[in-house]
Amino acid sequence: MSRDTAKDTDNPNSTASNDANTASKPQDSVTFALAQSHFLVGDITANAEKMRTLALQAREQGADVIIFPELGLLGYPPQDLLLRPSLSGRIKSALSSLSDIDDIVMIVGYPHVDHHGTFNSAAILHNGHQKGFYHKQILPNYGVFDERRYFDKGRNQVLFDYKGITIGLLICEDLWEKGPIAELKKQGADLIVSLNASPFEIEKQDNRKTMLAKRSRENNLPIIYLNAVGGQDDLVFDGGSMAIQADGSVAHEASRFMNQLMLATFNVKTAKFNTQAKAPLSLSRESEMYQALVVGLRDYVNLSGFTGIIVGLSGGIDSALTLCIAVDALGADKVYAVMMPYEYTSQISLEDAQAQARRLNVSYTVCPIFDAVEGIRHTLAPLFNKSPADTTEENIQARARGVVLMALSNKFGHLVITTGNKSELAVGYSTLYGDMAGGFDVLKDVYKSQVYKLASYRNRLEDTPVIPERVITRPPSAELRPDQKDQDSLPDYDVLDGILMSYIDEDMGYQDIVDKGFDADLVAKVIKMVDNSEYKRSQAPIGTKISHKAFGRERRFPLVNKWSIKG
Amino acid sequence: MSRDTAKDTDNPNSTASNDANTASKPQDSVTFALAQSHFLVGDITANAEKMRTLALQAREQGADVIIFPELGLLGYPPQDLLLRPSLSGRIKSALSSLSDIDDIVMIVGYPHVDHHGTFNSAAILHNGHQKGFYHKQILPNYGVFDERRYFDKGRNQVLFDYKGITIGLLICEDLWEKGPIAELKKQGADLIVSLNASPFEIEKQDNRKTMLAKRSRENNLPIIYLNAVGGQDDLVFDGGSMAIQADGSVAHEASRFMNQLMLATFNVKTAKFNTQAKAPLSLSRESEMYQALVVGLRDYVNLSGFTGIIVGLSGGIDSALTLCIAVDALGADKVYAVMMPYEYTSQISLEDAQAQARRLNVSYTVCPIFDAVEGIRHTLAPLFNKSPADTTEENIQARARGVVLMALSNKFGHLVITTGNKSELAVGYSTLYGDMAGGFDVLKDVYKSQVYKLASYRNRLEDTPVIPERVITRPPSAELRPDQKDQDSLPDYDVLDGILMSYIDEDMGYQDIVDKGFDADLVAKVIKMVDNSEYKRSQAPIGTKISHKAFGRERRFPLVNKWSIKG
């Protein structure tokens, strides 16, 4: 519905009857409902049904307009489902299934397919009519985004008049650039509605607020910012939808990480939103990271249909934190902890693993792997011909544990989750098919130094710490040979993580990292370890993205290449 | 060097001295050297050195112009190496390292970074000067391609005059659309030079010829088509570079899958290429597939620095074919075959595995896994509590084999390759961390029905078949329980592959596949199996793409989603 081409559809309120539920509202006002709700990828019919329910609920509460997230009808990111031949027909019938909803304008995110192409679009539905549609103009194709794989660019601004104001539509990335909103302003917009599916990363909500304040002030325009919520594979959408005044201040902010139907009333005369009686608490860094990890795991497990999860405990901090997140995500009754001691497992580890499980009240099983390891070693003995022990024997222990956990998974139908952190995965300090065996790696995007912070954070939430203090203070060890410590083969985690964050999250090169003050040889060694572990990561389970650059779809390197570190 | 902006650089021959090596050539001719050579991803300095060597060699042979593949200086596809901050400096110094090469025009594919953006470009180098550069206009962002993640679009045509002809430049995808070559024609091009990095898939060379014939005829223009060659992770570039006359006929065609410096002389007066004395044999479908698999494996192993490979034999056809490909790729002395019998391994399988290894003259070891499996089962017994056997016990066998092969890999430093075919991987008929454990899956993109064809093809190449006939004729079995046959749980492979090819390679939906004549329930069942196996495939090793749609980067589906089959 470009202004140029669709003048006739610009005025939904010509057919609207707003006789109900408006008694308590100020006159000359428009109430927007922000449907911050989890729309599941692929679940078109159910998503339409959810839209119906929310629209009726919003209307009941006096809303004039309800806004759904970017691509909400299909879920985000749908990836190659967008190429399925039946997509267009399914979308059309879902949209028309909503046509009997009267007396509320619905702005629905959906993929639009016509002879011009495929678009990431927002439809304006009102009283059984599709009053127009907007196609996203700026298509992100970096980081985790592949939108130019699927979508054609929209070329037109879309505005519509309703109850005395002119509303301009934007979708997600459109607002991160200066142009589209400025063009809407030029064409007469009084207010912007922006549909989003913006994945969580650390500090993202702050960045959104900064950006929204800037855009609203630049154009003296109020903005409704509606975000998606919920986990989808490695991404978590963290909600935090907002209504922003024209001066850049936040009038309304929805909860993070939770479904919420938030209402914001816009006074046409003052051109201001009413303000929220009680704004949600701002989350600490640890709190938002922790919640993202909980939601990511919860939705992956529930969507994949598993009734429980299995986690191997080692007595160490990674599995301890993973266990907390698992319990917070799914409840203690769905979590099965297994401790698999071998020769090098310390008494402390056994005690601490048991203590963790007890404090969290989860099923706890001890399954010593002596027989499995011995059996494997017997099988290999004739081939190994008494060669001296090396990392092979360590990997055998890790893989025996992987086999045990997967057998429990196969037998009892639970999902094995893994406990590897980002520091380990970065430098390849992990065993393929061993501790990397499982369907979801909870701490995949959490550096070891962050693991400590999150463990302390979680302990502070309750009077009795759920993770025994000793687990946090003792030196980390994989316990795969006598007296092994992580720091035998790796630098201190604070140093390691400093180099890794520079190289991975900040995309810095060797020289710039050295110039930060790190030891040159160590930087070269760490970069080499990262580069040499691409093949391992290519077979790693997925895990929730929380950083600016997570391993996986966000970071795509050739498995074999000859790029030199120093160049 | 758009015609509009760089007139002064349009005439490299004004500074060229062509006094050497031209005695035997017809007057008024230009000789092009097509440098179909393997340029390694990331190896910028070595790639520049290779370009130097080839340029000098071509000049020695009388060439006036030498053409290198798309992005040859960096290798293709470089993926996120394109985002490395030191890229631009490395590229600049590599380009200037070529500036002392006189008397031959070099057309070099490279990533161009300047304040306008990053481009997929071709530089025209001549006698120490960069005479101009062309930026690719059509950036593919579908299938295996992510070019819009990295590159900005070129906006200008680039032509240059040399020895009486006007040459227009294009890069790969540019030529698959009608526009860019037509624009070059309009601007006065006499001949097109196209730099490519076009990955192999079945029938691709035929498609290229059809496209080239069409474009040359549409515009009455001769075309030089230079393709990359060699394996890079899951892609194989198959060469087959060509010189095409203006009437669409092939004047020269380089070998497939091999390095070659091919010369083509263009007669300026007749506007025709000389013709090739002996054109290469056209390859059969089986032959091109087989060669692609050999090159893909060879280059992956060599580039990753392994000195040998380990393959688990089962006595069945998949591992038999894999073994042939491994030997053809690396030589018998680098291949280590291991047979790991258990209770359900038949005598026939033992005999046939040994026969395969003997006929191919590779190291052969029998390593029974009784002890390993028994050890694992003992470890699990208290937890399993005498529950009846199910697929858990089958997976334990497969995983015990995986652990054994990985232990051999760790101990002796060889790469484990896997033998799973596309049909199995599609429906999830394989064990994660079991038969899927390894760094490269040779048959990943080969359907079972194609495995049979390739096995027969390979047997026909020698007087004595390298794969015993019985391996091809006996019913396939995973031998994980007594008298198990694949067809106990799967439809006949011809039927299964028919459905799979429709669903995966041809992207058809349920109804269209049923309309082809397949049983509706079976189609639904197979689609469900494919969709439910995304998580397995997400942790599978890479393997060479040979089909129109390979698993991996070419096919990106959410691991969890609620898309319904029939919808």
Side-chain angles (χ1 to χ4, degrees):
Chain A
M1 193 174 63
S2 142
R3 278 240 144 169
D4 302 331
T5 58
K7 280 272 180 203
D8 57 321
T9 63
D10 276 357
N11 199 3
N13 77 330
S14 60
T15 54
S17 70
N18 283 281
D19 49 356
N21 303 306
T22 52
S24 63
K25 288 195 298 171
Q27 289 208 311
D28 301 319
S29 72
V30 184
T31 296
F32 294 91
L34 286 75
Q36 178 177 301
S37 195
H38 192 186
F39 295 92
L40 305 183
V41 167
D43 212 4
I44 299 173
T45 310
N47 289 338
E49 270 315 296
K50 185 177 280 186
M51 287 179 178
R52 162 186 301 281
T53 306
L54 289 165
L56 298 179
Q57 193 182 327
R59 191 181 66 186
E60 192 68 28
Q61 295 175 21
D64 302 298
V65 179
I66 184 166
I67 305 151
F68 299 102
E70 178 181 14
L71 287 186
L73 198 55
L74 179 58
Y76 194 94
Q79 300 187 274
D80 283 7
L81 290 175
L82 284 163
L83 308 176
R84 287 271 159 93
S86 59
L87 175 73
S88 162
R90 293 181 189 215
I91 291 292
K92 271 184 198 131
S93 66
L95 279 176
S96 54
S97 79
L98 297 173
S99 64
D100 61 333
I101 303 174
D102 287 332
D103 296 337
I104 185 162
V105 176
M106 292 186 285
I107 303 181
V108 176
Y110 75 108
H112 180 104
V113 184
D114 66 18
H115 62 285
H116 296 296
T118 300
F119 301 91
N120 182 340
S121 305
I124 306 160
L125 308 181
H126 195 221
N127 290 340
H129 298 286
Q130 186 161 328
K131 297 290 183 178
F133 41 80
Y134 167 68
H135 301 327
K136 186 175 184 178
Q137 300 174 77
I138 315 286
L139 300 172
N141 209 65
Y142 57 81
V144 300
F145 301 110
D146 281 314
E147 291 202 12
R148 292 181 212 170
R149 180 176 173 88
Y150 309 107
F151 296 118
D152 297 289
K153 268 189 189 188
R155 306 273 171 198
N156 296 312
Q157 311 305 321
V158 170
L159 304 94
F160 69 104
D161 298 332
Y162 184 61
K163 294 190 81 180
I165 55 170
T166 299
I167 298 170
L169 293 182
L170 292 176
I171 299 177
C172 212
E173 197 78 3
D174 288 333
L175 203 48
W176 292 83
E177 300 204 0
K178 238 176 143 78
I181 184 172
E183 189 56 36
L184 284 172
K185 174 74 178 185
K186 206 159 53 175
Q187 294 189 23
D190 298 313
L191 180 147
I192 302 300
V193 164
S194 166
L195 287 64
N196 298 270
S198 171
F200 172 73
E201 57 186 49
I202 296 169
E203 298 169 348
K204 187 73 165 281
Q205 183 73 346
D206 293 346
N207 295 340
R208 290 181 195 126
K209 283 182 185 168
T210 307
M211 179 277 288
L212 289 167
K214 192 158 174 278
R215 291 285 171 264
S216 55
R217 280 188 215 129
E218 280 167 359
N219 300 281
N220 190 33
L221 273 178
I223 302 172
I224 302 256
Y225 180 95
L226 187 266
N227 195 17
V229 71
Q232 172 59 37
D233 288 353
D234 52 336
L235 302 183
V236 167
F237 300 92
D238 55 320
S241 301
M242 289 172 267
I244 307 285
Q245 308 283 23
D247 67 1
S249 61
V250 178
H252 290 261
E253 182 176 1
S255 299
R256 307 280 300 284
F257 303 105
M258 281 190 278
N259 288 340
Q260 186 177 345
L261 183 65
M262 181 173 78
L263 264 55
T265 297
F266 184 73
N267 185 313
V268 175
K269 280 194 182 146
T270 62
K272 282 194 172 165
F273 292 108
N274 67 329
T275 50
Q276 202 162 17
K278 212 171 71 182
L281 283 178
S282 180
L283 301 179
S284 69
R285 289 282 162 269
E286 282 78 19
S287 172
E288 65 172 10
M289 285 162 70
Y290 192 87
Q291 289 193 44
L293 297 172
V294 167
V295 169
L297 176 63
R298 181 198 68 199
D299 288 354
Y300 184 81
V301 173
N302 288 338
L303 285 170
S304 57
F306 285 99
T307 52
I309 53 181
I310 300 172
V311 54
L313 297 187
S314 70
I317 190 164
D318 295 319
S319 54
L321 179 62
T322 301
L323 188 71
C324 293
I325 294 167
V327 169
D328 290 337
L330 298 162
D333 58 323
K334 290 191 178 156
V335 178
Y336 301 86
V338 184
M339 174 72 181
M340 296 166 285
Y342 185 61
E343 221 172 304
Y344 312 118
T345 306
S346 64
Q347 185 58 31
I348 292 180
S349 295
L350 276 167
E351 290 167 13
D352 289 352
Q354 187 177 37
Q356 291 159 30
R358 284 228 175 116
R359 291 187 195 185
L360 287 163
N361 204 23
V362 302
S363 152
Y364 179 69
T365 308
V366 179
C367 177
I369 57 164
F370 292 93
D371 288 346
V373 172
E374 285 318 291
I376 294 163
R377 294 183 71 156
H378 271 156
T379 283
L380 286 163
L383 286 72
F384 278 10
N385 201 14
K386 299 191 180 160
S387 63
D390 53 25
T391 51
T392 307
E393 282 70 22
E394 300 181 24
N395 286 329
I396 287 172
Q397 294 165 53
R399 292 197 175 108
R401 293 191 175 102
V403 171
V404 166
L405 292 177
M406 291 304 297
L408 292 171
S409 169
N410 292 156
K411 191 61 91 184
F412 302 112
H414 305 311
L415 176 73
V416 175
I417 60 171
T418 66
T419 65
N421 62 57
K422 189 173 186 176
S423 311
E424 289 175 0
L425 197 65
V427 297
Y429 195 75
S430 55
T431 302
L432 257 180
Y433 324 130
D435 50 305
M436 291 174 70
F440 199 91
D441 182 0
V442 178
L443 305 179
K444 182 173 186 177
D445 199 29
V446 185
Y447 285 110
K448 186 78 173 191
S449 46
Q450 295 171 323
V451 169
Y452 284 104
K453 285 184 190 151
L454 289 178
S456 301
Y457 161 80
R458 183 62 183 80
N459 268 358
R460 286 196 303 274
L461 294 186
E462 296 182 45
D463 293 340
T464 315
V466 288
I467 301 174
E469 195 54 30
R470 189 166 63 177
V471 174
I472 299 179
T473 52
R474 65 190 281 224
S477 166
E479 296 194 329
L480 293 169
R481 59 172 184 265
D483 300 322
Q484 185 181 30
K485 301 276 174 295
D486 289 10
Q487 270 53 61
D488 299 344
S489 11
L490 297 175
D492 277 352
Y493 276 116
D494 280 344
V495 175
L496 178 65
D497 287 354
I499 298 172
L500 291 174
M501 284 182 193
S502 305
Y503 186 58
I504 295 161
D505 299 51
E506 297 172 44
D507 253 337
M508 293 172 69
Y510 163 80
Q511 194 55 54
D512 289 336
I513 302 174
V514 172
D515 291 347
K516 266 188 159 180
F518 293 103
D519 177 76
D521 288 344
L522 184 62
V523 172
K525 182 184 155 196
V526 169
I527 292 181
K528 195 89 205 150
M529 290 171 91
V530 174
D531 290 357
N532 286 348
S533 307
E534 284 307 335
Y535 77 98
K536 270 193 194 180
R537 286 190 292 271
S538 78
Q539 295 188 36
I542 62 164
T544 301
K545 165 186 162 69
I546 64 162
S547 74
H548 300 308
K549 187 162 281 199
F551 291 127
R553 69 173 110 183
E554 191 164 18
R555 194 176 175 280
R556 306 176 189 175
F557 280 95
L559 300 198
V560 293
N561 74 76
K562 297 283 179 186
W563 183 268
S564 65
I565 291 168
K566 298 178 192 178
Chain B
M1 194 173 67
S2 142
R3 276 244 145 167
D4 303 331
T5 59
K7 279 273 181 203
D8 56 322
T9 62
D10 276 357
N11 199 2
N13 76 332
S14 61
T15 54
S17 68
N18 282 281
D19 48 357
N21 303 307
T22 52
S24 63
K25 290 193 299 172
Q27 291 205 311
D28 300 319
S29 73
V30 183
T31 296
F32 294 91
L34 286 74
Q36 177 178 301
S37 195
H38 191 186
F39 294 92
L40 305 184
V41 167
D43 213 4
I44 299 174
T45 310
N47 288 340
E49 269 315 296
K50 186 177 278 186
M51 286 180 177
R52 164 187 299 281
T53 306
L54 289 164
L56 298 179
Q57 192 181 329
R59 192 180 67 185
E60 192 68 28
Q61 294 176 22
D64 302 298
V65 179
I66 184 166
I67 305 151
F68 299 102
E70 179 181 14
L71 287 186
L73 199 55
L74 178 59
Y76 194 94
Q79 299 185 272
D80 283 7
L81 290 174
L82 284 163
L83 307 177
R84 286 270 158 94
S86 59
L87 176 74
S88 161
R90 293 181 189 215
I91 291 293
K92 273 185 196 131
S93 67
L95 280 175
S96 54
S97 78
L98 297 172
S99 64
D100 61 331
I101 302 174
D102 288 332
D103 296 339
I104 186 163
V105 175
M106 292 185 285
I107 302 180
V108 176
Y110 75 109
H112 180 104
V113 185
D114 66 19
H115 61 284
H116 296 295
T118 301
F119 301 91
N120 182 340
S121 305
I124 308 160
L125 307 181
H126 194 221
N127 290 339
H129 300 285
Q130 187 161 327
K131 297 291 185 176
F133 42 80
Y134 168 68
H135 301 327
K136 186 175 185 177
Q137 299 174 77
I138 314 285
L139 300 172
N141 210 65
Y142 57 82
V144 300
F145 301 109
D146 281 315
E147 292 202 12
R148 291 179 213 170
R149 181 175 171 88
Y150 309 106
F151 296 119
D152 297 288
K153 268 189 187 190
R155 305 274 171 197
N156 296 312
Q157 312 303 321
V158 169
L159 305 94
F160 69 104
D161 298 332
Y162 185 60
K163 295 189 82 181
I165 55 170
T166 298
I167 298 170
L169 293 182
L170 292 176
I171 299 177
C172 213
E173 197 78 4
D174 289 333
L175 204 48
W176 292 82
E177 299 204 1
K178 239 176 142 80
I181 185 173
E183 190 55 37
L184 284 172
K185 174 74 178 185
K186 207 159 52 173
Q187 294 190 21
D190 299 313
L191 180 147
I192 303 299
V193 164
S194 166
L195 288 64
N196 299 270
S198 171
F200 173 73
E201 56 185 50
I202 296 169
E203 297 170 347
K204 187 73 164 280
Q205 184 72 347
D206 292 347
N207 294 340
R208 290 181 195 127
K209 282 181 186 168
T210 306
M211 179 275 289
L212 289 167
K214 193 155 174 278
R215 290 287 172 263
S216 56
R217 279 188 215 129
E218 280 167 358
N219 300 281
N220 191 33
L221 274 178
I223 302 172
I224 303 257
Y225 180 94
L226 185 268
N227 195 17
V229 71
Q232 171 60 36
D233 288 350
D234 52 337
L235 301 182
V236 166
F237 300 92
D238 56 319
S241 302
M242 290 172 267
I244 306 286
Q245 308 282 21
D247 67 1
S249 62
V250 178
H252 291 260
E253 182 176 1
S255 300
R256 307 280 300 284
F257 302 103
M258 280 190 279
N259 288 340
Q260 186 178 344
L261 184 65
M262 181 174 77
L263 266 55
T265 297
F266 185 74
N267 186 313
V268 175
K269 280 194 181 146
T270 61
K272 281 192 173 165
F273 293 107
N274 66 329
T275 50
Q276 200 163 18
K278 214 172 69 183
L281 283 179
S282 180
L283 302 179
S284 70
R285 287 284 162 268
E286 282 79 19
S287 172
E288 63 172 12
M289 285 161 70
Y290 193 86
Q291 290 193 44
L293 297 172
V294 167
V295 169
L297 176 62
R298 181 197 69 200
D299 288 353
Y300 184 82
V301 174
N302 289 338
L303 286 170
S304 56
F306 285 99
T307 52
I309 54 183
I310 300 173
V311 54
L313 297 187
S314 70
I317 190 165
D318 295 320
S319 54
L321 179 61
T322 301
L323 188 71
C324 293
I325 293 166
V327 169
D328 291 338
L330 298 162
D333 58 324
K334 292 191 177 152
V335 178
Y336 300 85
V338 184
M339 175 71 180
M340 295 166 288
Y342 184 63
E343 220 172 306
Y344 313 118
T345 306
S346 64
Q347 185 58 30
I348 291 181
S349 294
L350 276 166
E351 290 167 14
D352 288 352
Q354 186 176 41
Q356 292 160 29
R358 284 228 174 118
R359 290 186 196 184
L360 287 162
N361 204 24
V362 301
S363 153
Y364 179 69
T365 307
V366 179
C367 175
I369 56 164
F370 292 93
D371 289 345
V373 172
E374 285 317 291
I376 295 163
R377 295 183 71 157
H378 271 155
T379 282
L380 286 163
L383 285 72
F384 279 9
N385 201 15
K386 298 192 179 156
S387 64
D390 53 26
T391 52
T392 307
E393 282 69 22
E394 300 181 24
N395 285 330
I396 288 172
Q397 294 164 55
R399 292 198 175 109
R401 291 190 175 104
V403 171
V404 166
L405 293 176
M406 290 306 296
L408 293 171
S409 169
N410 292 158
K411 191 61 94 183
F412 302 113
H414 305 311
L415 176 74
V416 175
I417 60 171
T418 65
T419 65
N421 62 59
K422 189 174 187 175
S423 311
E424 289 175 359
L425 197 64
V427 297
Y429 195 75
S430 55
T431 302
L432 256 180
Y433 326 128
D435 51 305
M436 289 174 72
F440 198 91
D441 181 0
V442 178
L443 305 179
K444 182 172 185 177
D445 199 30
V446 185
Y447 285 109
K448 187 79 172 191
S449 47
Q450 295 170 323
V451 168
Y452 284 103
K453 286 186 189 149
L454 289 178
S456 300
Y457 161 79
R458 182 62 182 81
N459 268 357
R460 286 196 304 273
L461 296 186
E462 296 183 43
D463 292 340
T464 316
V466 288
I467 301 174
E469 194 55 28
R470 188 167 62 178
V471 173
I472 300 179
T473 51
R474 65 190 282 222
S477 166
E479 295 193 331
L480 293 170
R481 60 173 183 263
D483 300 322
Q484 184 181 32
K485 300 278 175 293
D486 289 10
Q487 270 54 61
D488 299 344
S489 8
L490 297 175
D492 277 351
Y493 275 117
D494 281 345
V495 175
L496 178 65
D497 287 355
I499 297 172
L500 291 174
M501 284 182 193
S502 305
Y503 186 57
I504 296 161
D505 299 52
E506 297 172 44
D507 254 335
M508 293 171 71
Y510 163 81
Q511 194 54 55
D512 289 337
I513 303 174
V514 172
D515 291 347
K516 265 187 159 182
F518 292 102
D519 176 76
D521 289 343
L522 184 61
V523 172
K525 182 183 155 196
V526 169
I527 291 182
K528 196 88 205 148
M529 290 171 90
V530 174
D531 290 357
N532 286 348
S533 306
E534 285 306 335
Y535 78 98
K536 271 194 194 180
R537 286 190 292 272
S538 78
Q539 296 188 34
I542 61 164
T544 302
K545 164 186 162 70
I546 63 163
S547 74
H548 300 308
K549 186 163 283 202
F551 291 127
R553 69 174 110 183
E554 192 165 18
R555 194 175 176 281
R556 306 176 189 176
F557 279 96
L559 300 198
V560 292
N561 75 75
K562 298 282 180 185
W563 184 267
S564 67
I565 291 168
K566 298 176 190 177

